[in-house]
Amino acid sequence: MRPYQIAVCVTILVVLSFIGISTGDTPFTPRGQRWEPAPEGHIIGKDNGVLTGDSGALADHFQGEDCAICHTPGGKAGAYVFSISGTVFKDKLGIEPLVGAEVIIRDVEGKVISLTSNEAGNFFTYAPIAHDPAAGSDPDTPRNWRYKSWVKYGESVRPMVTLAYVGAMAHYIPRMSCNMHHGRMGTRGTVSAGTFDTLAAYPDQNISFAAHVMPILKNRCKACHMPAATNPFTTYGDERFDYSGGLDLSAYAKAPGSSRGITDTINLAQPAQSPLLIRSLPGSLHSGGSFWEIGDPEYETIRLWIAEGASDN
Amino acid sequence: MDLRGNDARDKRRRRQRTRLLRLGVAWAIVAMWCAGCSSGDGETPTNREAVPVLTESRFGTSGGFVDVDGDGIEDLVIGAPEASGSPKKGAILAYLGTADGISTTAAWEIMGEESGDNFGFSFANLGDVDGDGSADFAAGALYAAGATPFSGNVTVYQGGDSAPAVLGRLNGTQPHGRFGYAVAGGDLNADGYSDVIVSALHASGDAFQSGIVYVYLGGSDLSSTPSAVIKGDHPNHGLGFSLETGDINGDGTADLFVGAHDAVFIYYGGTDFIDRLGADTTPDVTIYGTSETGGRHSGSGFGDSIAFIGDVNNDGVGDVAIANPNRTWPDVYDNIGSVYLFAGSADLPPSFYESDPNHRLAKITGDAAGDRFGSALAVIKDVNDGGLPDLLVSAPWASGGPSDSMPVAGKVYLFHTEAVMAGSADNLDVADAAGVYTMETPFGEFGKVLGACSDGNFFTSAPQSNQNSGMAYAYDLRAGSSTEIGNH
């Protein structure tokens, strides 16, 4: 572990202790679990679903599509009703699926469900998910099932920020698919993991916001840091929680209603101290997880852009 | 990228070998293939460029008919956005129409430029953009570099020549904006040149990811700067999910239809089209889907596909078919899908709902939950001599094969419009179809794309078949025959 990582971890523990949040026993609320690391008890792939017979060859179909259109009781694939399913990609556009990503789910009772993405990037399981009595008394109603999830690839761990329930329309049909919102054409961007470079190459000077920085921000940040009018409020919890933190990173100028924009996250005098960079280092207090390490191409590109004046060029 | 073991893949391919069924087409008329597109083996390919690898290419994600070589016979161009030279450059491939049918061997291929471009994600016959008398065409590269990385671009090609020249490159401006998601052509300003309309589905217009539609005026020189820009005004609106042109108000000039989630916006064409949009982009007519949010529900698919069908109610004004292949909001989340026919008029109100009996001519409902009936529409020449153009509707997630035993095989339905108009307007369903086409490959998405030829033939595709390699199928309805294309 590098010195800065140790320092960041120590800081995290101190801060968490100070504000009363422990990593092992948190209330199942959006605010309480913002910075929670992936849970212990994760065993790679232990809950991977299996398709039998002729269907076994189909585990790699429909990458990025909403699995639960068919995999729902009474649906076209009603014999294989998943409790959780989806696709992991290397990028937010869904250009290339990611094989071997770990999907870690912890339900409201603390049970850990461990999945891996298959050769098509797909993952699915039949493992039951505990229901939350606070959501409803019926344990068999998927709408009452609650979980939080993380996606891990290598040393990169990325939490999915929302405490989701199973089945947005569960009062009609029990269903759950991460690809409902995170498919290839999804407006939130795909479920993605790892630290694969956004661009094929990065210049070492004359960094352009439009050509170099914006694609990185779109790939890394836009799923949460969007304009105020579209803040991804949680759909569950004891409060409506704004995961964007009021920060709009969808354009150079912040949108009306957003409290902060990209220029509020940079330090022109000390580029490496810019929150835009250090908030996404491993171990930082960032709900969206880490996207780069010091010296990575994307880190360096943004640092150089700031050092060159952080203009809207 | 080969993610699977070859042995397993070959086994699956053998098991999934595609065979076509044609069901209940009693009207099939044996006829000679006249000037126009057909099915059947054709001539030797020419002008072949570097050959793309079509395995796992999703061949058939887009496509359409256009006379690419100027011989007076429409040819078939198919998009394969994940074709590889390097992964997912994408490609479009041209299969020439001949007097004997459509060739099953590509005459030429045009490859994407960079890995990941997804060139061929969209395709459109634009009509005559440059005024040379031949129809031109365009292909979109959804993730290619436009003005910025990942913003997307659209390349416009000159039809009517064995080696299609590039008329212009249109560029998206916003990373992840999905410029080129939909492309269409039509002479909106009545100057005799077809114009090019392109949508950027996730570009931020007046709101985050609202979608933007750009209009580029045709002419001897195609400008790469849009002459009109229509911006979505609320987040994730889906503006530009579909595009279509046709004269809905009977003034003799094509009008622009823009699909968004749960609404279709209509902009009247005319010599002042650009000036009017420059001053105010409020649509002349809005058709809303039935939702409590008045056309702003992102889950509704109303408007996801649009087809100008011509005058089917004999009032002298053209009419339009609009589909909602997704949920039947707010009742159930079923994805059965529906198709609606609306009457054109010179006196359409500024807005109305799809349920308005003053404007809705008919509603056709899909068969089963999850079928996504209406995912693609195409208007086909009057193949049964019933006096009206006919309508093709696809349900790419419908079960197919023997006794519908294969999930998500996909189906295409043919409706004789005169029968639709004579039927019970709101109680039509797939049982009213005159023909049903499907395939014996589960999860193939047969019917993903539909394209009609001017002489009454059509093509469709199954881009998910053969482990995402994809296939296309050309149908000669009068001869009662069909041909597989792209057996890679």
Side-chain angles (χ1 to χ4, degrees), chain B residues 213-293:
Chain B
V213 172
Y214 303 87
V215 179
Y216 301 84
L217 291 183
S220 55
D221 293 312
L222 176 64
S223 172
S224 60
T225 302
S227 297
V229 178
I230 303 168
K231 298 178 179 179
D233 64 0
H234 60 276
N236 298 318
H237 194 178
L239 189 81
F241 194 96
S242 59
L243 298 169
E244 174 67 303
T245 59
D247 181 12
I248 195 71
N249 62 350
D251 66 355
T253 301
D255 308 310
L256 173 61
F257 300 79
V258 178
H261 296 313
D262 209 33
V264 172
F265 304 109
I266 303 173
Y267 299 86
Y268 289 153
T271 54
D272 60 346
F273 177 80
I274 297 300
D275 291 339
R276 279 190 285 116
L277 261 66
D280 184 3
T281 57
T282 302
D284 294 293
V285 179
T286 300
I287 307 175
Y288 290 114
T290 301
S291 84
E292 81 285 9
T293 48

Side-chain angles (χ1 to χ4, degrees), chain A residues 54 56-58 60-63 65-66 69-71 74 76-77 89 92-97 99 119-121 169 172-173 175 180 183-189 198-200 210-212 214-215 218-219 222 225-227 229-230 248 250, chain B residues 1 3-5 12 15-16 58 82 88 116 118 121 142-143 147-150 174-176 178 181 201-202 204 208-209 235-236 327 329-335 368-372 397-399 407-408 442-445 448 464 467-468:
Chain A
D54 288 344
L58 296 171
D60 55 0
H61 72 276
F62 287 152
Q63 298 153 317
E65 291 276 7
D66 180 356
I69 287 177
C70 295
H71 293 274
K76 295 178 184 299
F89 292 89
K92 285 292 179 189
L93 285 172
I95 294 174
E96 191 170 353
V99 182
E119 56 194 5
M169 301 299 294
Y172 301 124
I173 303 173
R175 60 193 308 278
M180 288 173 64
R184 299 177 99 147
M185 294 299 160
T187 54
R188 298 294 191 205
T198 299
L199 299 175
H212 306 123
M214 199 69 243
K218 289 278 187 177
N219 193 26
K222 79 152 189 174
H225 293 292
M226 53 184 70
T230 46
D248 173 20
S250 68
Chain B
M1 180 176 54
L3 296 174
R4 294 171 265 283
R12 290 196 291 270
R15 185 169 59 239
Q16 295 180 353
R58 296 182 195 266
E82 297 186 16
K88 299 184 181 179
N118 270 233
F121 177 88
L142 200 61
Y143 306 137
T148 58
F150 305 112
Q174 299 184 19
H176 293 210
R178 300 182 196 268
Y181 186 86
L201 188 66
H202 284 183
S204 295
F208 179 71
Q209 282 186 174
N236 298 318
R327 71 173 61 170
W329 183 266
D331 301 317
V332 289
Y333 191 109
D334 56 20
N335 291 286
D371 280 6
R372 290 184 163 181
W397 287 34
S399 298
V408 199
F443 302 97
E445 281 196 306
K448 182 77 170 182
Q464 293 262 151
Q467 294 297 306
N468 299 332

Side-chain angles (χ1 to χ4, degrees), chain B residues 18 20 58-65 76-81 95 120-121 375-376 392 394-397 408-412 437-439 441 443-451 458-466 469-475 483-486 488:
Chain B
T18 303
L20 298 176
R58 296 182 195 266
F59 177 89
T61 295
S62 68
F65 287 105
L76 181 59
V77 180
I78 301 290
Y95 299 86
F121 177 88
S375 290
L392 293 163
S394 76
W397 287 34
V408 199
K411 285 178 179 171
V412 172
Y437 308 85
T438 183
M439 62 186 294
T441 297
F443 302 97
E445 281 196 306
F446 177 85
K448 182 77 170 182
V449 178
L450 286 169
F458 78 94
F459 97 99
T460 189
S461 64
Q464 293 262 151
S465 63
N466 292 333
S469 294
M471 293 286 289
Y473 308 91
Y475 286 82
T483 300
E484 296 182 9
I485 299 172
H488 28 264

